[in-house]
Coordinates of all heavy atoms in Angstrom, one line a residue:
M1 N -6.3 -55.8 -102.6 CA -7.4 -55.8 -103.5 C -7.7 -54.3 -104.0 O -8.0 -53.5 -103.1 CB -8.7 -56.3 -102.8 CG -9.9 -56.4 -103.7 SD -9.7 -57.6 -105.0 CE -9.7 -59.1 -104.0
P2 N -7.5 -54.0 -105.2 CA -7.7 -52.6 -105.7 C -9.2 -52.3 -105.7 O -10.1 -53.2 -105.8 CB -7.2 -52.6 -107.1 CG -7.3 -54.1 -107.5 CD -7.1 -54.9 -106.3
N3 N -9.5 -51.1 -105.5 CA -10.9 -50.7 -105.5 C -11.2 -50.0 -106.9 O -10.4 -49.3 -107.4 CB -11.3 -49.7 -104.4 CG -11.4 -50.4 -103.1 OD1 -11.5 -51.6 -103.0 ND2 -11.2 -49.7 -102.0
C4 N -12.4 -50.2 -107.4 CA -12.8 -49.6 -108.6 C -12.9 -48.1 -108.4 O -13.6 -47.7 -107.5 CB -14.2 -50.2 -109.0 SG -15.0 -49.5 -110.4
P5 N -12.3 -47.3 -109.3 CA -12.4 -45.9 -109.2 C -13.8 -45.3 -109.4 O -14.1 -44.2 -109.0 CB -11.4 -45.4 -110.2 CG -11.3 -46.5 -111.2 CD -11.5 -47.7 -110.5
K6 N -14.7 -46.1 -110.0 CA -16.0 -45.7 -110.3 C -17.0 -45.9 -109.1 O -17.6 -45.0 -108.7 CB -16.6 -46.4 -111.5 CG -18.0 -46.2 -111.8 CD -18.2 -44.8 -112.5 CE -19.7 -44.7 -112.9 NZ -20.0 -43.3 -113.3
C7 N -17.0 -47.1 -108.6 CA -17.9 -47.4 -107.5 C -17.3 -47.7 -106.2 O -17.9 -47.9 -105.2 CB -18.8 -48.6 -107.9 SG -17.8 -50.1 -108.0
S8 N -15.9 -47.6 -106.1 CA -15.1 -47.8 -104.9 C -15.3 -49.1 -104.2 O -14.9 -49.3 -103.1 CB -15.5 -46.7 -103.9 OG -15.3 -45.4 -104.5
K9 N -15.8 -50.1 -105.0 CA -15.8 -51.5 -104.4 C -14.7 -52.3 -104.9 O -14.1 -52.0 -106.0 CB -17.2 -52.1 -104.8 CG -18.4 -51.4 -104.1 CD -19.7 -52.1 -104.6 CE -20.8 -51.3 -104.0 NZ -22.1 -51.5 -104.8
P10 N -14.3 -53.4 -104.2 CA -13.2 -54.2 -104.7 C -13.4 -54.8 -106.1 O -14.6 -55.1 -106.4 CB -13.1 -55.3 -103.6 CG -13.8 -54.8 -102.4 CD -14.9 -53.8 -103.0
V11 N -12.4 -54.9 -106.8 CA -12.4 -55.4 -108.2 C -11.8 -56.8 -108.1 O -10.6 -56.9 -107.9 CB -11.7 -54.5 -109.2 CG1 -11.9 -55.1 -110.6 CG2 -12.3 -53.1 -109.2
Y12 N -12.5 -57.8 -108.4 CA -12.0 -59.2 -108.4 C -11.5 -59.5 -109.8 O -11.9 -58.9 -110.8 CB -13.1 -60.2 -108.0 CG -13.5 -60.0 -106.6 CD1 -14.6 -59.2 -106.3 CD2 -12.7 -60.5 -105.6 CE1 -15.0 -59.0 -105.0 CE2 -13.1 -60.3 -104.2 CZ -14.3 -59.6 -103.9 OH -14.6 -59.3 -102.7
H13 N -10.5 -60.4 -109.9 CA -9.8 -60.7 -111.1 C -10.8 -61.0 -112.3 O -10.6 -60.5 -113.4 CB -8.8 -61.8 -110.9 CG -8.0 -62.1 -112.1 ND1 -6.9 -61.3 -112.3 CD2 -8.0 -63.0 -113.0 CE1 -6.3 -61.7 -113.4 NE2 -6.9 -62.7 -113.9
A14 N -11.7 -61.8 -112.0 CA -12.6 -62.3 -113.1 C -13.4 -61.2 -113.8 O -13.9 -61.3 -114.9 CB -13.5 -63.3 -112.6
E15 N -13.6 -60.1 -113.1 CA -14.5 -59.0 -113.6 C -13.8 -57.7 -113.9 O -14.4 -56.7 -114.1 CB -15.6 -58.7 -112.6 CG -15.1 -58.3 -111.2 CD -16.2 -58.1 -110.2 OE1 -17.4 -58.3 -110.5 OE2 -15.8 -57.8 -109.0
K16 N -12.4 -57.8 -113.9 CA -11.7 -56.5 -114.0 C -11.4 -56.2 -115.5 O -11.2 -57.1 -116.3 CB -10.5 -56.5 -113.2 CG -9.3 -57.2 -113.8 CD -8.0 -57.0 -113.0 CE -6.9 -57.7 -113.6 NZ -5.6 -57.5 -112.8
K17 N -11.3 -54.9 -115.7 CA -10.7 -54.3 -116.9 C -9.7 -53.3 -116.5 O -10.0 -52.4 -115.7 CB -11.8 -53.6 -117.8 CG -12.6 -54.5 -118.7 CD -13.5 -53.6 -119.6 CE -14.4 -54.5 -120.5 NZ -15.3 -53.7 -121.3
T18 N -8.5 -53.5 -116.9 CA -7.4 -52.5 -116.5 C -7.3 -51.5 -117.6 O -7.0 -51.7 -118.7 CB -6.1 -53.3 -116.3 OG1 -6.3 -54.3 -115.4 CG2 -5.0 -52.3 -115.8
S19 N -7.5 -50.2 -117.2 CA -7.3 -49.1 -118.1 C -6.9 -47.9 -117.2 O -7.2 -47.8 -116.1 CB -8.6 -48.8 -118.8 OG -8.3 -47.9 -119.9
M20 N -6.1 -47.0 -117.8 CA -5.5 -45.9 -117.1 C -4.7 -46.3 -115.9 O -4.5 -45.6 -114.9 CB -6.6 -44.9 -116.6 CG -7.5 -44.4 -117.7 SD -9.2 -44.1 -117.3 CE -9.0 -43.0 -115.9
G21 N -4.2 -47.6 -116.0 CA -3.3 -48.0 -114.9 C -4.1 -48.5 -113.7 O -3.4 -48.8 -112.6
V22 N -5.4 -48.5 -113.7 CA -6.2 -49.0 -112.6 C -7.2 -50.0 -113.0 O -7.5 -50.2 -114.2 CB -6.9 -47.8 -111.9 CG1 -5.9 -46.9 -111.2 CG2 -7.7 -47.0 -112.9
D23 N -7.7 -50.8 -112.1 CA -8.6 -51.8 -112.4 C -10.0 -51.4 -112.2 O -10.4 -50.8 -111.2 CB -8.3 -53.0 -111.5 CG -7.0 -53.7 -111.7 OD1 -6.5 -53.5 -112.9 OD2 -6.5 -54.3 -110.8
W24 N -10.9 -51.6 -113.2 CA -12.3 -51.3 -113.1 C -13.1 -52.5 -113.2 O -12.7 -53.5 -113.8 CB -12.6 -50.4 -114.4 CG -11.8 -49.2 -114.6 CD1 -10.5 -49.2 -115.0 CD2 -12.2 -47.9 -114.4 NE1 -10.1 -47.9 -115.1 CE2 -11.1 -47.0 -114.8 CE3 -13.5 -47.3 -114.1 CZ2 -11.2 -45.7 -114.7 CZ3 -13.5 -45.9 -114.1 CH2 -12.4 -45.1 -114.4
H25 N -14.3 -52.5 -112.7 CA -15.3 -53.5 -113.0 C -15.6 -53.4 -114.5 O -15.7 -52.2 -115.0 CB -16.6 -53.3 -112.3 CG -16.4 -53.5 -110.8 ND1 -16.6 -52.5 -109.9 CD2 -16.1 -54.6 -110.1 CE1 -16.4 -53.0 -108.7 NE2 -16.1 -54.3 -108.8
A26 N -15.8 -54.5 -115.2 CA -16.1 -54.4 -116.6 C -17.3 -53.5 -116.8 O -17.4 -52.8 -117.8 CB -16.4 -55.8 -117.2
T27 N -18.3 -53.6 -115.9 CA -19.5 -52.8 -116.0 C -19.3 -51.4 -115.6 O -20.2 -50.6 -115.9 CB -20.6 -53.5 -115.2 OG1 -20.1 -53.6 -113.8 CG2 -21.0 -54.8 -115.7
C28 N -18.2 -51.0 -115.0 CA -18.0 -49.6 -114.6 C -17.2 -48.8 -115.6 O -17.2 -47.6 -115.4 CB -17.3 -49.6 -113.2 SG -18.4 -50.1 -111.9
L29 N -16.5 -49.5 -116.5 CA -15.7 -48.8 -117.5 C -16.6 -48.3 -118.6 O -16.7 -48.9 -119.6 CB -14.6 -49.6 -118.0 CG -13.6 -48.9 -118.9 CD1 -12.9 -47.8 -118.1 CD2 -12.5 -49.9 -119.4
K30 N -17.3 -47.2 -118.3 CA -18.3 -46.7 -119.3 C -18.1 -45.2 -119.4 O -17.6 -44.5 -118.5 CB -19.7 -46.9 -118.8 CG -20.1 -48.4 -118.8 CD -21.6 -48.5 -118.6 CE -22.0 -48.2 -117.1 NZ -23.3 -48.7 -116.8
C31 N -18.5 -44.6 -120.5 CA -18.4 -43.2 -120.7 C -19.2 -42.5 -119.7 O -20.4 -42.8 -119.4 CB -18.9 -42.8 -122.1 SG -18.9 -41.0 -122.4
E32 N -18.7 -41.4 -119.0 CA -19.4 -40.7 -118.0 C -20.6 -40.0 -118.5 O -21.6 -39.7 -117.8 CB -18.4 -39.6 -117.4 CG -17.5 -40.1 -116.4 CD -18.3 -40.5 -115.1 OE1 -19.0 -39.6 -114.6 OE2 -18.1 -41.6 -114.6
K33 N -20.6 -39.7 -119.8 CA -21.7 -38.9 -120.4 C -22.8 -39.8 -121.0 O -23.9 -39.7 -120.7 CB -21.2 -37.9 -121.4 CG -20.6 -36.7 -120.7 CD -20.2 -35.6 -121.7 CE -21.5 -34.8 -122.1 NZ -21.1 -33.6 -122.9
C34 N -22.3 -40.6 -122.0 CA -23.3 -41.4 -122.7 C -23.5 -42.8 -122.3 O -24.3 -43.5 -122.8 CB -23.0 -41.3 -124.2 SG -21.5 -42.3 -124.7
K35 N -22.6 -43.2 -121.3 CA -22.8 -44.6 -120.7 C -22.4 -45.7 -121.7 O -22.7 -46.8 -121.4 CB -24.2 -44.8 -120.1 CG -24.6 -43.7 -119.2 CD -23.7 -43.4 -118.1 CE -24.2 -42.3 -117.2 NZ -23.2 -41.8 -116.2
K36 N -21.8 -45.3 -122.8 CA -21.4 -46.4 -123.7 C -20.2 -47.2 -123.0 O -19.4 -46.7 -122.4 CB -20.8 -45.7 -125.0 CG -20.4 -46.7 -126.1 CD -20.3 -45.9 -127.4 CE -19.1 -45.0 -127.4 NZ -19.0 -44.3 -128.7
T37 N -20.3 -48.5 -123.2 CA -19.2 -49.4 -122.7 C -17.9 -49.1 -123.4 O -17.9 -48.9 -124.7 CB -19.6 -50.8 -122.9 OG1 -20.8 -51.1 -122.2 CG2 -18.5 -51.8 -122.4
L38 N -16.8 -49.0 -122.7 CA -15.5 -48.6 -123.2 C -14.6 -49.8 -123.2 O -14.7 -50.6 -122.3 CB -14.9 -47.4 -122.5 CG -15.8 -46.2 -122.5 CD1 -15.2 -45.1 -121.5 CD2 -15.9 -45.6 -123.9
Q39 N -13.6 -49.8 -124.1 CA -12.6 -50.8 -124.1 C -11.3 -50.2 -123.5 O -11.0 -49.1 -123.8 CB -12.3 -51.3 -125.5 CG -13.5 -52.0 -126.2 CD -14.0 -53.1 -125.4 OE1 -13.3 -54.0 -124.9 NE2 -15.3 -53.2 -125.2
P40 N -10.6 -51.0 -122.7 CA -9.4 -50.5 -122.1 C -8.4 -50.0 -123.1 O -8.2 -50.6 -124.2 CB -8.8 -51.8 -121.4 CG -10.0 -52.6 -121.1 CD -10.9 -52.4 -122.3
G41 N -7.9 -48.8 -122.9 CA -6.9 -48.2 -123.8 C -7.5 -47.5 -125.0 O -6.8 -47.0 -125.8
Q42 N -8.8 -47.6 -125.1 CA -9.5 -47.0 -126.3 C -10.5 -46.0 -125.9 O -11.6 -46.0 -126.5 CB -10.1 -48.2 -127.1 CG -9.1 -49.1 -127.7 CD -9.7 -50.3 -128.5 OE1 -10.9 -50.2 -128.9 NE2 -9.0 -51.3 -128.8
H43 N -10.2 -45.2 -124.9 CA -11.1 -44.2 -124.5 C -10.3 -43.0 -124.0 O -9.1 -43.1 -123.7 CB -12.1 -44.7 -123.5 CG -11.4 -45.2 -122.2 ND1 -11.0 -44.3 -121.2 CD2 -11.0 -46.4 -121.8 CE1 -10.4 -45.0 -120.2 NE2 -10.4 -46.3 -120.6
A44 N -10.9 -41.9 -123.9 CA -10.3 -40.7 -123.3 C -10.5 -40.6 -121.8 O -11.4 -41.3 -121.3 CB -10.8 -39.4 -124.0
V45 N -9.7 -39.8 -121.2 CA -9.8 -39.6 -119.7 C -9.8 -38.1 -119.4 O -9.0 -37.4 -120.0 CB -8.6 -40.3 -119.1 CG1 -8.6 -40.1 -117.5 CG2 -8.6 -41.8 -119.4
H46 N -10.6 -37.7 -118.5 CA -10.6 -36.4 -117.9 C -10.9 -36.4 -116.5 O -12.0 -37.0 -116.1 CB -11.6 -35.5 -118.7 CG -11.5 -34.1 -118.2 ND1 -10.6 -33.2 -118.7 CD2 -12.3 -33.4 -117.3 CE1 -10.7 -32.0 -118.1 NE2 -11.8 -32.1 -117.2
D47 N -10.1 -35.9 -115.6 CA -10.3 -35.9 -114.2 C -10.5 -37.3 -113.7 O -11.4 -37.5 -112.8 CB -11.5 -35.0 -113.9 CG -11.5 -34.5 -112.4 OD1 -10.4 -34.5 -111.8 OD2 -12.6 -34.0 -112.0
N48 N -9.7 -38.2 -114.2 CA -9.8 -39.6 -113.8 C -11.1 -40.3 -114.1 O -11.4 -41.3 -113.5 CB -9.5 -39.8 -112.3 CG -8.0 -39.6 -112.0 OD1 -7.1 -39.9 -112.9 ND2 -7.6 -39.0 -110.9
K49 N -11.9 -39.7 -115.0 CA -13.1 -40.3 -115.4 C -13.0 -40.7 -116.9 O -12.5 -39.9 -117.7 CB -14.3 -39.4 -115.2 CG -14.6 -39.0 -113.7 CD -15.9 -38.3 -113.6 CE -16.2 -38.0 -112.2 NZ -15.5 -36.9 -111.6
P50 N -13.6 -41.8 -117.2 CA -13.5 -42.3 -118.6 C -14.6 -41.7 -119.5 O -15.7 -41.5 -119.1 CB -13.6 -43.8 -118.5 CG -14.5 -44.0 -117.3 CD -14.2 -42.8 -116.4
Y51 N -14.2 -41.3 -120.7 CA -15.1 -40.8 -121.7 C -14.8 -41.5 -123.1 O -13.7 -41.8 -123.4 CB -15.0 -39.3 -121.9 CG -15.4 -38.5 -120.7 CD1 -14.4 -38.2 -119.7 CD2 -16.6 -37.9 -120.5 CE1 -14.7 -37.5 -118.6 CE2 -17.0 -37.2 -119.4 CZ -16.0 -37.0 -118.4 OH -16.3 -36.2 -117.3
C52 N -15.9 -41.6 -123.9 CA -15.6 -42.0 -125.3 C -14.9 -40.8 -126.0 O -15.2 -39.7 -125.6 CB -16.8 -42.5 -126.0 SG -18.1 -41.3 -126.1
H53 N -14.1 -41.1 -127.0 CA -13.4 -40.0 -127.7 C -14.5 -39.1 -128.4 O -14.4 -37.9 -128.3 CB -12.5 -40.6 -128.8 CG -11.2 -41.1 -128.2 ND1 -10.3 -40.3 -127.6 CD2 -10.8 -42.4 -128.1 CE1 -9.3 -41.0 -127.2 NE2 -9.5 -42.3 -127.5
K54 N -15.4 -39.7 -129.1 CA -16.4 -39.0 -129.8 C -17.7 -39.6 -129.6 O -17.8 -40.9 -129.7 CB -16.1 -38.9 -131.4 CG -14.9 -38.1 -131.7 CD -14.7 -38.1 -133.2 CE -13.4 -37.2 -133.5 NZ -13.2 -37.2 -135.0
P55 N -18.7 -38.9 -129.3 CA -18.7 -37.4 -129.3 C -18.3 -36.8 -128.0 O -18.0 -35.6 -128.0 CB -20.1 -37.0 -129.7 CG -20.9 -38.1 -129.1 CD -20.1 -39.4 -129.2
C56 N -18.3 -37.5 -126.9 CA -18.3 -36.9 -125.6 C -17.1 -36.1 -125.3 O -17.2 -34.9 -124.9 CB -18.6 -38.0 -124.5 SG -20.2 -38.7 -124.8
Y57 N -15.9 -36.7 -125.4 CA -14.7 -36.0 -125.0 C -14.5 -34.8 -125.9 O -14.2 -33.7 -125.4 CB -13.5 -36.9 -125.0 CG -12.3 -36.3 -124.4 CD1 -12.0 -36.4 -123.0 CD2 -11.4 -35.5 -125.1 CE1 -10.9 -35.8 -122.4 CE2 -10.3 -34.9 -124.6 CZ -10.1 -35.0 -123.2 OH -9.0 -34.4 -122.7
A58 N -14.6 -35.1 -127.2 CA -14.4 -34.0 -128.1 C -15.4 -32.8 -127.9 O -15.0 -31.6 -127.9 CB -14.6 -34.5 -129.6
A59 N -16.6 -33.1 -127.6 CA -17.6 -32.1 -127.3 C -17.4 -31.4 -126.0 O -17.6 -30.1 -125.9 CB -19.0 -32.7 -127.3
A60 N -16.9 -32.1 -125.0 CA -16.8 -31.4 -123.7 C -15.5 -30.8 -123.5 O -15.4 -29.7 -122.9 CB -17.0 -32.5 -122.6
F61 N -14.4 -31.3 -124.1 CA -13.1 -30.8 -123.7 C -12.2 -30.5 -124.9 O -11.1 -30.1 -124.8 CB -12.3 -31.9 -122.9 CG -13.1 -32.4 -121.7 CD1 -13.6 -33.7 -121.6 CD2 -13.5 -31.5 -120.7 CE1 -14.3 -34.1 -120.6 CE2 -14.3 -32.0 -119.6 CZ -14.7 -33.3 -119.6
G62 N -12.7 -30.7 -126.1 CA -12.0 -30.4 -127.3 C -11.2 -31.6 -127.8 O -11.2 -32.6 -127.2
P63 N -10.4 -31.4 -128.9 CA -9.7 -32.5 -129.5 C -8.7 -33.1 -128.5 O -8.2 -32.4 -127.6 CB -8.9 -31.8 -130.6 CG -9.7 -30.6 -130.9 CD -10.3 -30.1 -129.6
T64 N -8.5 -34.3 -128.6 CA -7.6 -35.0 -127.7 C -6.4 -35.7 -128.5 O -6.7 -36.1 -129.7 CB -8.3 -36.1 -126.9 OG1 -7.3 -36.9 -126.2 CG2 -9.1 -37.1 -127.8
L65 N -5.3 -35.8 -127.9 CA -4.2 -36.4 -128.6 C -4.1 -37.9 -128.2 O -3.3 -38.7 -128.7 CB -2.8 -35.8 -128.2 CG -2.7 -34.3 -128.7 CD1 -1.4 -33.7 -128.1 CD2 -2.7 -34.3 -130.2
V66 N -5.0 -38.3 -127.3 CA -5.0 -39.7 -126.8 C -5.7 -40.5 -127.9 O -6.8 -40.2 -128.4 CB -5.8 -39.8 -125.5 CG1 -5.8 -41.3 -125.1 CG2 -5.1 -39.0 -124.5
T67 N -5.0 -41.5 -128.4 CA -5.6 -42.3 -129.5 C -5.7 -43.8 -129.0 O -5.0 -44.2 -128.1 CB -4.7 -42.2 -130.7 OG1 -3.4 -42.6 -130.4 CG2 -4.8 -40.9 -131.3
Ligands
ZN101 ZN1 -17.0 -50.6 -110.1
ZN102 ZN1 -19.6 -40.9 -124.5

């Protein structure tokens, strides 16, 4: 059983979102800064934490090549 990288609790199949190669709770895959809900594969990553591309990642870390 994989653990969610956000809350470190087990992620069950019915509630998981797989992004960055790991399984998240659907409710845990949110931007670290603005708490916006993110879609798998459609967000930026920094230090293993998910961020929305704009404005948060761009504002905090500059332009990203991740699309
Ligand atoms: Zn979680
Ligand atoms: Zn954000």
